[in-house]
Amino acid sequence: MCFMSGSIEMENVFIHENEVGVWQWFFGKAVTSVVFHNPGPSDGFVGIAAPSLARILPIDLAKFGGEILCQPDAFLCSVSDVKVSNTVDQRARNVMPSIEGFLRQKLTGQGLAFILAGGSVAQKVLEVGEVLAVDVSCIAALNTTVNVQIKYNGPVRRAVFGGDNLVTATLTGPGIVFIQSLPFRRFSQRIASDIPKHER
């Protein structure tokens, strides 16, 4: 939250909908959420900003069949009926490059959600049977109707310890995919590589 009108009240609540609360704590994720209320007689406003250099994408879940899968930590905020849970994408096969490759946020409901994506964002509509190969870290969000198969393009040890384009996802439609050009992990690694070692 960057700013809000004087009539808005904030409340920090436990996320009861979270289905894997223990794992949330284990991996250092938040298990609480801030809820904004406007008890006043007139309309109020809240200004929300991304926690890092990223684009904010509005997702109307009603237009996505009430469910969408996102990259970890993609969810920023929502209006009305939106539930957030972390889920392991059981459809991904062949290799597990990292926990980030499978532990995805699932957004369900009929409300308006706002998610984060880095760099330029392309929205690709896949027809039935249409296939698209994407770097796994560049998938910002997708429909649950999209079939996902993940494979590595080199030795398993390289896929586990990182590297560009070592792990790709083969996506088969129908469905919608949001592709980001600059995942936060890649962005942070680039910044770290430019910092002299004596300054780290």
Side-chain angles (χ1 to χ4, degrees):
M1 190 275 294
C2 284
F3 57 87
M4 62 184 184
S5 58
S7 61
I8 301 296
E9 296 180 355
M10 291 191 302
E11 181 183 4
N12 200 302
V13 298
F14 180 76
I15 306 175
H16 299 286
E17 294 83 4
N18 196 302
E19 299 174 355
V20 284
V22 175
W23 288 104
Q24 284 284 86
W25 272 307
F26 184 77
F27 287 109
K29 309 295 185 180
V31 292
T32 60
S33 180
V34 178
V35 178
F36 296 91
H37 300 277
N38 181 21
S42 59
D43 292 339
F45 56 84
V46 178
I48 303 294
S52 61
L53 187 61
R55 292 190 60 182
I56 300 177
L57 307 178
I59 303 293
D60 187 350
L61 292 178
K63 297 181 179 179
F64 286 84
E67 188 176 60
I68 194 170
L69 292 177
C70 307
Q71 65 178 337
D73 298 325
F75 177 76
L76 179 63
C77 61
S78 64
V79 178
S80 190
D81 175 29
V82 177
K83 294 182 179 180
V84 184
S85 62
N86 281 330
T87 178
V88 176
D89 192 349
Q90 302 291 350
R91 301 168 303 161
R93 304 176 180 90
N94 300 342
V95 70
M96 184 172 178
S98 68
I99 192 64
E100 298 292 313
F102 288 86
L103 182 60
R104 294 186 171 275
Q105 286 187 330
K106 177 188 287 186
L107 309 183
T108 57
Q110 298 296 314
L112 180 64
F114 296 88
I115 65 173
L116 303 175
S120 299
V121 179
Q123 179 178 330
K124 179 66 176 178
V125 180
L126 299 179
E127 302 297 336
V128 177
E130 183 177 357
V131 178
L132 181 69
V134 185
D135 184 292
V136 69
S137 64
C138 291
I139 302 175
L142 48 72
N143 272 120
T144 55
T145 57
V146 177
N147 179 268
V148 183
Q149 289 190 333
I150 296 180
K151 62 180 180 179
Y152 62 92
N153 305 312
V156 176
R157 64 180 181 276
R158 293 183 61 195
V160 171
F161 292 105
D164 290 338
N165 304 122
L166 290 177
V167 184
T168 58
T170 301
L171 312 178
T172 305
I176 299 177
V177 183
F178 292 90
I179 304 171
Q180 58 184 348
S181 65
L182 188 61
F184 178 74
R185 183 176 181 181
R186 185 181 300 173
F187 176 63
S188 60
Q189 287 175 341
R190 181 60 184 270
I191 293 178
S193 66
D194 289 340
I195 300 176
K197 291 184 178 180
H198 67 275
E199 294 182 5
R200 296 181 184 176

